[in-house]
Amino acid sequence: MAIATNGNANGAAVKLTRRDFASDQEVRWCPGCGDYSILAQTQRVMPELNMPREKIVFVSGIGCSSRFPYYMNTYGFHTIHGRAPAIATGLKVSRPDLMVFVITGDGDALSIGGNHLMHVLRRNVDLNIVMFNNRIYGLTKGQYSPTSERGKNVKSAPMGAPDHPVNPLSLALGAEGTFVARTIDTNTRHLVATLERAAAHQGTSFVEVFQNCNIYNDGAFMHLTAKDVADDRTLVLEHGEPMIFGKDHNKGIRLNGIEPEVVTIGENGITEDDILVHDETRASSNMAYILSRLDYPEFPVPIGVLRATDKPTYDGTVQEQMEAAVARHGEGDLDALFNHGDTWVVEDE
């Protein structure tokens, strides 16, 4: 893949590195926070995207994750709670030449920002949305969030959270997202690969990142990520490959009618041919939706790209309409518009 370059004072191309994308701001997250990993891997991906820094913009809302634009040596907006997708949409429509990332958290995106998230996915704006999911409100000191488990005992719910949690991937698929994926902060190789895939997608890419908040929800995903259990409790999705998992690489997912089930290859006549083959490009999101509902302990938790399909983008369609309007009516004249029709002047007495 081509390496992004910027010109030096003499006009010569200069290869950009991860360090070029790190700003001079002190990173102010709690020591040990999973956000550090996501930041580091994002900075690592940036030089591979073949985009100069002045063409990249990070837009965030409110929350721990939303400090992100300060730490990227690109353009950025730290906006308001839940509204980052709306602001990013306006930016992308007005400047289609930019690569725009939306950085958000489970509270910012799925509570106050849920409506904006749904519509940016439905519209298929060419944005890259990275949602940090730590299943807690960290910045406001540990209240339960839309993704917190039902019954979770926290300061805002001393008798246990009464809500049923939101499933971010199911919501994104229900809103007809064209690129829906999940990765984990501690699996850096997988995180990098997923971010690269998301950035290359034309349309809205939605990436959920399981991220540890070691202060208010430490170990939220340890039952999936610990080295001694990860192979048995996560399912790494790869396009065109059978859905096989496990330390011995002998477990798989198949459909029993319309219901998924875990089977063991070599038992009861089960062979690899019985295992579902992942197809992320299917126009229908039915299988992707089934995968989004798989959860521990009954199933391994899928990570990877659940769905990656193509359809016209909102910003691309708007640009086509503007070009058609100019071709039909000519360039607009704002002064003429203001002075068209009945006008009047209010005189000072």
Side-chain angles (χ1 to χ4, degrees), residues 29 35 38 65 68 103-106 130-134 209 211:
W29 287 314
D35 289 3
I38 304 172
S65 64
F68 209 91
I103 303 297
T104 185
D106 49 301
V130 183
M131 192 198 80
F132 300 16
N133 183 7
N134 55 22
V209 185
Q211 172 256 325

Side-chain angles (χ1 to χ4, degrees), residues 162-184:
D163 289 2
H164 293 279
V166 174
N167 183 313
L169 299 188
S170 296
L171 185 149
L173 291 164
E176 300 186 12
T178 54
F179 183 98
V180 179
R182 176 192 283 143
T183 185
I184 302 172

Side-chain angles (χ1 to χ4, degrees), residues 317-347:
T317 301
V318 170
Q319 291 299 319
E320 291 172 0
Q321 291 177 344
M322 290 193 294
E323 291 169 3
V326 169
R328 184 180 304 171
H329 303 293
E331 292 287 347
D333 185 333
L334 189 58
D335 186 64
L337 177 64
F338 279 149
N339 291 282
H340 178 73
D342 295 331
T343 62
W344 62 92
V345 176
V346 177
E347 301 287 354

Side-chain angles (χ1 to χ4, degrees), residues 118-326:
M118 176 184 72
H119 288 296
V120 76
L121 288 162
R122 174 182 66 84
R123 289 169 171 155
N124 197 36
V125 186
D126 189 18
L127 305 172
N128 308 295
I129 302 174
V130 183
M131 192 198 80
F132 300 16
N133 183 7
N134 55 22
R135 293 181 174 174
I136 204 74
Y137 278 107
L139 187 66
T140 49
K141 308 300 184 284
Q143 298 84 1
Y144 74 89
S145 83
T147 57
S148 295
E149 310 92 311
R150 190 168 189 268
K152 189 173 189 63
N153 186 288
V154 292
K155 293 178 181 178
S156 60
M159 297 184 69
D163 289 2
H164 293 279
V166 174
N167 183 313
L169 299 188
S170 296
L171 185 149
L173 291 164
E176 300 186 12
T178 54
F179 183 98
V180 179
R182 176 192 283 143
T183 185
I184 302 172
D185 59 356
T186 55
N187 192 338
T188 57
R189 181 177 297 179
H190 190 270
L191 175 56
V192 165
T194 305
L195 292 174
E196 287 180 337
R197 286 286 312 278
H201 179 70
Q202 294 296 308
T204 306
S205 61
F206 178 80
V207 179
E208 176 190 24
V209 185
F210 283 166
Q211 172 256 325
N212 192 48
C213 173
N214 58 314
I215 303 300
Y216 295 107
N217 201 20
D218 193 23
F221 301 105
M222 188 62 70
H223 63 290
L224 304 175
T225 61
K227 290 184 178 180
D228 59 334
V229 299
D231 289 338
D232 289 323
R233 297 181 183 178
T234 57
L235 170 65
V236 180
L237 299 172
E238 296 184 23
H239 179 63
E241 297 296 326
M243 300 181 197
I244 295 175
F245 66 99
K247 290 179 181 178
D248 299 323
H249 205 63
N250 66 338
K251 302 286 187 181
I253 304 293
R254 75 170 183 181
L255 284 182
N256 184 358
I258 61 172
E259 296 295 330
E261 64 178 1
V262 174
V263 294
T264 301
I265 298 171
E267 293 185 359
N268 302 317
I270 299 294
T271 70
E272 188 172 313
D273 292 337
D274 297 304
I275 306 303
L276 282 169
V277 174
H278 182 48
D279 184 355
E280 65 188 31
T281 65
R282 293 177 64 176
S284 168
S285 62
N286 292 343
M287 193 63 235
Y289 184 81
I290 290 173
L291 289 173
S292 77
R293 309 304 294 178
L294 300 187
D295 204 359
Y296 178 80
E298 186 179 359
F299 295 98
V301 173
I303 62 172
V305 179
L306 278 71
R307 187 174 190 232
T309 57
D310 295 321
K311 73 176 183 181
T313 64
Y314 175 86
D315 46 296
T317 301
V318 170
Q319 291 299 319
E320 291 172 0
Q321 291 177 344
M322 290 193 294
E323 291 169 3
V326 169

Side-chain angles (χ1 to χ4, degrees), residues 103-117:
I103 303 297
T104 185
D106 49 301
D108 184 58
L110 299 172
S111 185
I112 191 171
N115 192 53
H116 292 286
L117 178 66

